[in-house]
Amino acid sequence: SVRGDDYERIGDTAESRTHWVGNEAFMNMSEGHCAALVVSGGRYVCSIYGERPQICRDFGRGSPACSADRWEKRPEGRTLVVV
């Protein structure tokens, strides 16, 4: 989630880059990844790298922890069905 200090650090674009679920803010997603990621030189780079939320600072891009966090926050909900 995007904390208060993250929201402040993102600055003027925070409102358009995030969405609220109850009283928690989250970065907007696009095609399964953070909408702040843009393609540059054939790879994804963060368009707000210097202002990125703390969770992005804590997780390495594409790391297992990052993937797990994305899975948990996917739009379909947080329920995992194992068949």
Side-chain angles (χ1 to χ4, degrees), residues 2-69:
V2 177
R3 302 180 327 203
D5 55 338
D6 297 326
Y7 201 85
E8 185 177 317
R9 186 172 44 252
I10 295 169
D12 294 340
T13 63
E15 189 172 325
S16 65
R17 293 186 182 276
T18 60
H19 65 278
W20 292 85
V21 177
N23 63 353
E24 276 189 282
F26 297 92
M27 293 297 293
N28 292 331
M29 300 292 283
S30 174
E31 299 180 18
H33 60 78
C34 176
L37 293 177
V38 296
V39 176
S40 176
R43 65 183 205 136
Y44 286 107
V45 295
C46 181
S47 64
I48 59 166
Y49 187 80
E51 296 80 34
R52 70 196 187 282
Q54 187 61 48
I55 196 162
C56 299
R57 295 166 189 268
D58 293 342
F59 295 160
R61 181 174 54 107
S63 70
C66 178
S67 296
D69 193 64

